[in-house]
Amino acid sequence: MPGPTHDDQHDGGPFIPGRPGPKPPPVEEPTEPREPLPPKKDQSGPEVYTATGEHLDADPTVRAQKGSRLTNAQGTRLYDTDHSLKAGERGPVLLQDHHLREKITHFDHERIPERVVHARGAAAHGVFRGYGTASSLSKAAFLGKDVETPVFVRFSTVLGNRGSADTVRDTRGFATKFYTSEGVFDLVGNNIPVFFIQDAIKFPDVIHAGKPHPDREIPQAQSAHDTFWDFVSLHTEATHHTLWNMSDRGIPRSYRTMEGFGIHTFRLVDAEGGTTLVKFHWKPKLGVHSMMWEEAQITSGVDPDFHRRDLADAIEAGAFPEWELGIQTFPDTPEQTFEGIDLLDPTKIVPEEWAPVQPIGLMALTANPSNYFAETEQVAFHVGHLVPGIDITDDPLLAGRLFSYIDTQITRLGGPNFAQLPINRTHAPVNDMLRDGMHQTGVHSGVAPYQPNSLDGGCPFFAGAGEGAYVEAPVTVPQASKVRAAPASFADHTSHPRRFYLSLSAVEREHVIAAYTFELSKCYEDAIKQRNLRVLADIDPGLCAGVAAGLGLPAPEPSAPLADVEPSPALSQLGHTWPTDGRVIGIIADENSDLAALSSLRSTVHDSGMVPLVIAPHGGELTGNGGPVLAQRTFANARSVEFDAVLIAGAPGMGDDAYGARDVKAAQSAGGGNVDPRVLLLVSEVYRHAKALGAWGGGADVLAAAGCPQGGAGIVVSDDPQAVLAQVTELLGAHRVWDRFPPGETVAS
């Protein structure tokens, strides 16, 4: 949907997200005292609840800094914070400088331990509205028809630290905190429906293997190294997840175009105590889309914050991301299997053709955090945060997560009271009899924090099942000997990855081959490469042969007959048409372009729910015929990866800074005549990454100079800019122009 228009946008064009503050700053330093500026319109903090879950009718900014004068932490006003207290201007600093000590001491303790995994993340506030379609399966109140529940969602990468890049090839976390009327429910999942391991006891192993080598602390935020591929080739239950990661799912285009999965099988409980096994799915309304590998590599360098910026900008522009929450349902039988698939095995999925995903609610993210540390960094998720109507199963990976999450929060957040941080506070009343500990912000009354008691009048009292108490489903536990073992059904490590690979389109399979080839080529040891080729041979001989050819190694034969599986078309990202909301359209122009037509075109882009960014030889305004038009990007700072499609308004000339000593990109291209080499580089990358291109006027000559064939797939040329935009928008519905580069014969067959 279109975003807001700022009154102070001086060129009269559509609103462009990304302004750092709520108001434009003056050129000169402000000197007139004033209260702190409010947050931007797109920002919000956690709703105001006490530490014990009582709602306060207060603006979330009540917790923000107040007053127009600088103070210390105790509220005492200060007259200077630029100079330490010294014995004379050139004398020694005095130990009695309490302001210096407080300021430096607090600074020294500003950081908390980052998450061991999922350290790099971005988040947003939103609301979930239940459809009521799950009410017959679960008594959870937030799933009721038209019940609206505040949520906070954090997206993340698994392997990299907080300083790594967004667009690395990795699994993404998709964690949702529901602030329900019955307590907090956390749905803590990933963008991949399966996991590397079947038992939580192996989690330290897979993470140690994926993290940087301990001797050199390299490589960061990637799996393209020996230790990871050593582990997954020896522990082949990881094969299914690894294949998903090597597919386009490993590099999403945006958090907004990313699926989410609960991974495990959960149990829903209805009002009568009946149970149903389910798997949770988040389906993005914009469709599931990814980056190409080269595009992701470029993005990691030119904009390592690409995904978090994309999410924040979309929310600021009013293009609120939406996902439907859906469930696959299965009978809760003693075997806990469905069509021969063990539902307790987190390395396997049930094809959607066998068990359709039934929508049960809609989530929209509507506000950015007002403070990254207080909200995104301190939010604490836990798979054990459950509400009546949702229960767990005996998945051995889930069992370990139930222990691990609360343990890590105690370490990261300084003690057991992390639930009292504003972003973690429940919206339901709390009377838990838990006391004291570091960072205790509740001021408890009473003298008897134990049960039973009489000194506090017996309070708190137990709740019955009819009063909203959480009662575990009375599942029968089988009588068995204690063993360290897995059921025989867990031993199948090939049929599900084979189904996934066969379900992909030809172009997606090419990307999988390229990903495996790249990753394994980064390994030093040939033995590890050969071992992984053996794994691939049992999935698909064509896949194995393609990777082996890239590595210069022979392709082994399968070790056993290939699994006979039916493809699941739902696993492919391609073949559909999706909304174009929030898509970014780059428009290359200069003073010689028809700026009146450009302004009209830009308004059309904006009114269509997309974001237009003008790319010009210089910053500031274009002042030619029909101007002025404000440029948001320049030939020097624009790169193709930021745009979903690019339009060329005429034939822009050379920028004044188009020489190699100023900008090395200006010396990278040749043969363009009077076309700026940086424009040729940008256009050629857009073409190479299978994105739509449009041009009018002299723009066709720019396309030709960049090596884009006239009449090629996804290239639109016309004298009418609006007609070009209409055709390009239609192409955007499929995300990319995939038929621009046909796949190889072996893969296509």
Side-chain angles (χ1 to χ4, degrees), residues 72 98 119 282 303 407 586 620:
N72 64 13
H98 54 88
W282 287 113
D303 188 2
D407 190 48

PDB file of all heavy atoms in Angstrom, residues 72 98 119 282 303 407 586 620:
ATOM      1  N   ASN A  72      22.747  13.421  34.743  1.00  0.00           N
ATOM      2  CA  ASN A  72      23.346  12.111  34.978  1.00  0.00           C
ATOM      3  C   ASN A  72      22.230  11.088  35.173  1.00  0.00           C
ATOM      4  O   ASN A  72      21.042  11.411  35.033  1.00  0.00           O
ATOM      5  CB  ASN A  72      24.315  12.159  36.156  1.00  0.00           C
ATOM      6  CG  ASN A  72      23.625  12.478  37.478  1.00  0.00           C
ATOM      7  OD1 ASN A  72      22.401  12.442  37.600  1.00  0.00           O
ATOM      8  ND2 ASN A  72      24.417  12.784  38.491  1.00  0.00           N
ATOM      9  N   HIS A  98      33.004  12.342  39.323  1.00  0.00           N
ATOM     10  CA  HIS A  98      31.962  11.314  39.374  1.00  0.00           C
ATOM     11  C   HIS A  98      31.217  11.200  38.053  1.00  0.00           C
ATOM     12  O   HIS A  98      30.752  10.122  37.663  1.00  0.00           O
ATOM     13  CB  HIS A  98      30.974  11.615  40.511  1.00  0.00           C
ATOM     14  CG  HIS A  98      30.388  12.990  40.445  1.00  0.00           C
ATOM     15  ND1 HIS A  98      29.256  13.268  39.723  1.00  0.00           N
ATOM     16  CD2 HIS A  98      30.798  14.169  40.991  1.00  0.00           C
ATOM     17  CE1 HIS A  98      28.978  14.559  39.832  1.00  0.00           C
ATOM     18  NE2 HIS A  98      29.898  15.132  40.594  1.00  0.00           N
ATOM     19  N   ALA A 119      22.465 -14.408  16.254  1.00  0.00           N
ATOM     20  CA  ALA A 119      22.921 -13.159  16.862  1.00  0.00           C
ATOM     21  C   ALA A 119      22.521 -11.947  16.042  1.00  0.00           C
ATOM     22  O   ALA A 119      22.218 -10.886  16.594  1.00  0.00           O
ATOM     23  CB  ALA A 119      24.444 -13.187  17.034  1.00  0.00           C
ATOM     24  N   TRP A 282       4.105 -20.155   8.186  1.00  0.00           N
ATOM     25  CA  TRP A 282       3.858 -18.742   7.861  1.00  0.00           C
ATOM     26  C   TRP A 282       3.984 -18.583   6.343  1.00  0.00           C
ATOM     27  O   TRP A 282       5.031 -18.882   5.770  1.00  0.00           O
ATOM     28  CB  TRP A 282       4.874 -17.829   8.540  1.00  0.00           C
ATOM     29  CG  TRP A 282       4.724 -17.645  10.008  1.00  0.00           C
ATOM     30  CD1 TRP A 282       5.570 -18.068  10.993  1.00  0.00           C
ATOM     31  CD2 TRP A 282       3.681 -16.925  10.691  1.00  0.00           C
ATOM     32  NE1 TRP A 282       5.129 -17.686  12.230  1.00  0.00           N
ATOM     33  CE2 TRP A 282       3.957 -16.978  12.080  1.00  0.00           C
ATOM     34  CE3 TRP A 282       2.533 -16.253  10.258  1.00  0.00           C
ATOM     35  CZ2 TRP A 282       3.140 -16.374  13.035  1.00  0.00           C
ATOM     36  CZ3 TRP A 282       1.711 -15.663  11.209  1.00  0.00           C
ATOM     37  CH2 TRP A 282       2.008 -15.719  12.574  1.00  0.00           C
ATOM     38  N   ASP A 303      25.826  -3.258   0.880  1.00  0.00           N
ATOM     39  CA  ASP A 303      24.809  -2.959   1.894  1.00  0.00           C
ATOM     40  C   ASP A 303      24.597  -4.186   2.776  1.00  0.00           C
ATOM     41  O   ASP A 303      23.642  -4.932   2.595  1.00  0.00           O
ATOM     42  CB  ASP A 303      23.490  -2.543   1.244  1.00  0.00           C
ATOM     43  CG  ASP A 303      22.473  -2.047   2.274  1.00  0.00           C
ATOM     44  OD1 ASP A 303      22.819  -1.988   3.473  1.00  0.00           O
ATOM     45  OD2 ASP A 303      21.335  -1.714   1.885  1.00  0.00           O
ATOM     46  N   ASP A 407      17.809 -21.360  29.519  1.00  0.00           N
ATOM     47  CA  ASP A 407      19.172 -21.344  30.041  1.00  0.00           C
ATOM     48  C   ASP A 407      19.983 -20.217  29.404  1.00  0.00           C
ATOM     49  O   ASP A 407      20.705 -19.478  30.086  1.00  0.00           O
ATOM     50  CB  ASP A 407      19.821 -22.703  29.761  1.00  0.00           C
ATOM     51  CG  ASP A 407      21.149 -22.868  30.473  1.00  0.00           C
ATOM     52  OD1 ASP A 407      21.215 -22.573  31.673  1.00  0.00           O
ATOM     53  OD2 ASP A 407      22.111 -23.294  29.827  1.00  0.00           O
ATOM     54  N   GLY A 586      14.188   1.354  -9.796  1.00  0.00           N
ATOM     55  CA  GLY A 586      15.205   2.351 -10.070  1.00  0.00           C
ATOM     56  C   GLY A 586      14.948   3.011 -11.412  1.00  0.00           C
ATOM     57  O   GLY A 586      14.656   2.331 -12.397  1.00  0.00           O
ATOM     58  N   GLY A 620      21.047  15.727  -5.141  1.00  0.00           N
ATOM     59  CA  GLY A 620      20.263  16.960  -5.215  1.00  0.00           C
ATOM     60  C   GLY A 620      19.184  16.877  -6.275  1.00  0.00           C
ATOM     61  O   GLY A 620      18.621  15.815  -6.530  1.00  0.00           O
TER      62      GLY A 620
END
